[in-house]
Amino acid sequence: MLSFLKRNVIVLICLAVTIVYAVVADRLRLSKDVGAAVFAPMWLLVAGHLLRRLKFYWGTVAIVLGGLVLYFLYLGYTSPGERNYDGPEQLDKYIGYIVKNHTIPPAKQCFICHHPPFYYVLGALAQVFFNFTKLAPHPAGVQIFSLAIFFAFIVYSLLLARLFAEKKALIRIVAALIVFWPYSIHNSVRIHNDTLVTALVAAGMYYAARWYKEDKPRYLYASGLCAALGILTKSSAFALVAILGLMLAWRFFTRRGRVRLLKRGVLTMAMVAAAYGGLKLRAPVAEDPCHKTFGTACDIRKSDFTGNHPKNYLTVDFKKLLADPYMCIHNDDAGKQYFWIHVLKSSLFGTHNKIPDRETAYSLNRKVGFVMNIVLFAMIVYALIAALSGVWRGYKKFAVPFMFAAVSALFLMAFKIAIPAPHHTDFRHIYFAMAPGAVLFAAAVLHLHSRHAIFGALGKLLFVSFSAMSIFYFIPKYDIVMAYTRETVNVPLASVKRPVPEWTPWDRDGNTLIEGNQTIALIAESPIALVSNVDTTVDGNDVYEIKIFGKGAPRTLVVRPKKDLKVGVAHHVLKVEPPVENVTRITVRPLSGDRTYSIGHLIAN
């Protein structure tokens, strides 16, 4: 007992500080900034202690802790809606329902309520815990809970890598790729069941690979348990079930002790069957086969479907792949019709409807993202060359992670074929494939390095530069960038004369979208004799400066948010006193807001 206390003194001190803080924080009315200053360094110590207890080298520990710092920073400067698909549904209508009613909502209660409940039950417990202890404000508590889950995904990915590592360099490469991959930063604090299923399947992959290597049944059972809990989280876990089935079948036909293996396999799959059977006790969204299997995914309009032919899965439009790093699905420009283009682009920054994330995808970052997309393509070519130059050697040593990655990709492809909606190709559904994928790329770097040092140096240059650009992309710098990269964009005044009704979505087609560093100069075709009023709609929760240029000094107006407007553009009629004669241009510049700025219309008369 004494030795245990000595080995875990850091964890015990952190727990004591947590308890003391929970007792005094509310009474002293300490701000969330104080809480962040206390807990971020403290739990970094805990994470580092855990990694060292797992016998990871200091270089790997430093990479992971650096990633956790970046995740904390990202959580601090972005809103939950920046990275959460169906965010209000996830947090308010599912987790919130459980917190309020102490039961799981009916599948028909909300758009995503048909999802299995395990993540949402745990999320509800986390929300209750943070509400009670005041350790983090709502909804940061649930996001911190997701961060803890994502840390578990990182740990199991590194444990998987260590099973195949002859050199510690392989583990460091895997750590850098997974920790600093752009979509990892999104997923790290996302309120979504993808986070938990990613960690569970990665854990299941590790235990399955260890069972295959050491033939100890406890690892097989642990993998089966991960698969069962994964099914109770999201159907993506069926990829792990397929992996287990293939590994059991291969062992059955290639090794002795088939009866013993059969018993173990039956027990493992019984856990999976029990989890699946438990889900089937819940009433579906509707009684038809599609809704019973896929829930509200069956309600996606067929007009939104992409192509579902062999060419959509077997070919690639390289121009669309490399032209833009963001997968926006409102048209075909980004390549949504091609399965592999969508997978690769969404592995960087996710899938978006009309525009990328506005809190991070500003002009400078878009240029960085463009280079990252090209480097990603180069990394894929590099890995393919390595595979072709050492197929047999790689097959013998890395068959298991290759099978993990291949089955994951085939699962996503099958999901897309069943219902060919664009969001069904998003890499988040199989984000656990990052673990074996990173192992394979690291193996490619080390393999080519063994051929010639320059080839190894090239591989290191690719993943180091990719990781560095990802860090630069997500590190908070918005205000500095906006201050030093200001630009003026000229737009004809006639192009914004068509009235746009209040409450219209801010990013509706036809609206003029504005970057935080931009001033939109609306140029009149000919001077306007007299302007005494400005009738405009602008994004309703931002502050804008409007300047009118004509005879005499420019007249400045300030547009502020409407208190009663929750979403969309707000309508304003502004008096210009005194009126301005011979107006040649009107400028609109965002002063503050949520970084999503737009003009619906502007009429000067």
Side-chain angles (χ1 to χ4, degrees), residues 258-448:
R258 293 179 179 178
V259 174
R260 181 179 58 188
L261 178 64
L262 186 61
K263 291 178 180 178
R264 293 172 179 175
V266 168
L267 181 57
T268 301
M269 290 303 176
M271 289 188 281
V272 173
Y276 183 69
L279 288 181
K280 287 301 177 181
L281 296 175
R282 196 176 178 206
V285 176
E287 292 298 329
D288 60 282
C290 183
H291 282 92
K292 284 184 176 181
T293 306
F294 297 107
T296 54
C298 300
D299 298 327
I300 298 173
R301 294 174 299 181
K302 291 187 177 181
S303 59
D304 292 335
F305 285 179
T306 59
N308 204 21
H309 307 286
K311 68 176 183 179
N312 301 107
Y313 300 92
L314 302 176
T315 61
V316 172
D317 185 323
F318 288 101
K319 183 179 179 181
K320 290 184 176 181
L321 172 64
L322 300 175
D324 186 351
Y326 301 102
M327 177 47 66
C328 298
I329 61 173
H330 69 293
N331 58 41
D332 288 342
D333 293 348
K336 70 176 183 179
Q337 300 291 342
Y338 299 90
F339 176 81
W340 292 109
I341 291 180
H342 197 142
V343 169
L344 293 175
K345 287 190 178 184
S346 65
S347 79
L348 294 176
F349 305 110
T351 302
H352 310 276
N353 291 326
K354 289 187 177 181
I355 60 168
D357 297 326
R358 291 305 293 266
E359 293 182 53
T360 51
Y362 41 89
S363 56
L364 176 63
N365 273 1
R366 286 202 301 273
K367 294 172 184 175
V368 175
F370 175 80
V371 179
M372 289 174 69
N373 189 40
I374 293 175
V375 174
L376 172 60
F377 178 71
M379 290 166 67
I380 293 169
V381 172
Y382 182 92
L384 289 174
I385 292 172
L388 292 174
S389 66
V391 172
W392 181 244
R393 179 184 172 188
Y395 168 75
K396 289 192 294 184
K397 186 170 182 181
F398 295 99
V400 170
F402 177 79
M403 188 265 288
F404 288 171
V407 170
S408 300
L410 290 172
F411 173 85
L412 185 62
M413 186 179 291
F415 183 41
K416 174 70 184 304
I417 291 171
I419 301 180
H423 280 283
H424 292 177
T425 321
D426 194 290
F427 191 66
R428 66 188 172 90
H429 296 297
I430 56 163
Y431 200 73
F432 41 79
M434 273 298 301
V439 171
L440 293 173
F441 181 82
V445 173
L446 297 181
H447 167 67
L448 289 182

Side-chain angles (χ1 to χ4, degrees), residues 32 68 71-84 87 90-91 95 119 122-124 126-127 130-131 136-151 184-192 195-196 359:
K32 64 179 181 179
L68 292 177
Y71 301 162
F72 276 121
L73 292 172
Y74 177 70
L75 171 62
Y77 76 82
T78 56
S79 61
E82 172 81 349
R83 55 196 160 266
N84 287 319
Q90 306 279 344
L91 184 62
I95 293 176
Y119 170 78
L122 295 179
Q127 182 171 313
F130 283 103
N131 288 346
H138 182 74
V142 183
Q143 294 176 89
I144 292 170
F145 165 68
S146 289
L147 178 56
I149 296 172
F150 196 79
F151 175 69
S184 285
I185 299 162
H186 277 265
N187 281 313
S188 64
V189 290
R190 172 174 282 162
I191 302 172
H192 205 287
T195 305
L196 182 57
E359 293 182 53

Side-chain angles (χ1 to χ4, degrees), residues 44-181:
L44 285 173
L45 283 173
V46 173
H49 174 72
L50 176 61
L51 291 167
R52 287 297 294 158
R53 286 295 306 276
L54 292 171
K55 299 181 180 179
F56 287 110
Y57 295 107
W58 278 111
T60 303
V61 174
I63 291 169
V64 175
L65 295 185
L68 292 177
V69 170
L70 185 59
Y71 301 162
F72 276 121
L73 292 172
Y74 177 70
L75 171 62
Y77 76 82
T78 56
S79 61
E82 172 81 349
R83 55 196 160 266
N84 287 319
Y85 294 100
D86 309 313
E89 301 270 331
Q90 306 279 344
L91 184 62
D92 301 326
K93 295 186 179 180
Y94 206 144
I95 293 176
Y97 185 97
I98 296 173
V99 171
K100 183 178 179 180
N101 299 285
H102 307 108
T103 188
I104 299 166
K108 299 178 182 180
Q109 183 70 22
C110 67
F111 182 72
I112 58 97
C113 286
H114 66 282
H115 281 301
F118 189 46
Y119 170 78
Y120 303 100
V121 171
L122 295 179
L125 293 174
Q127 182 171 313
V128 170
F129 170 79
F130 283 103
N131 288 346
F132 177 76
T133 60
K134 311 296 184 185
L135 294 177
H138 182 74
V142 183
Q143 294 176 89
I144 292 170
F145 165 68
S146 289
L147 178 56
I149 296 172
F150 196 79
F151 175 69
F153 163 68
I154 293 172
V155 169
Y156 274 109
S157 298
L158 297 178
L159 290 171
L160 178 68
R162 194 160 65 182
L163 289 177
F164 302 94
E166 292 178 350
K167 299 179 180 179
K168 58 185 180 182
L170 185 143
I171 300 176
R172 287 201 300 267
I173 296 172
V174 170
L177 285 172
I178 289 179
V179 169
F180 297 119
W181 197 268

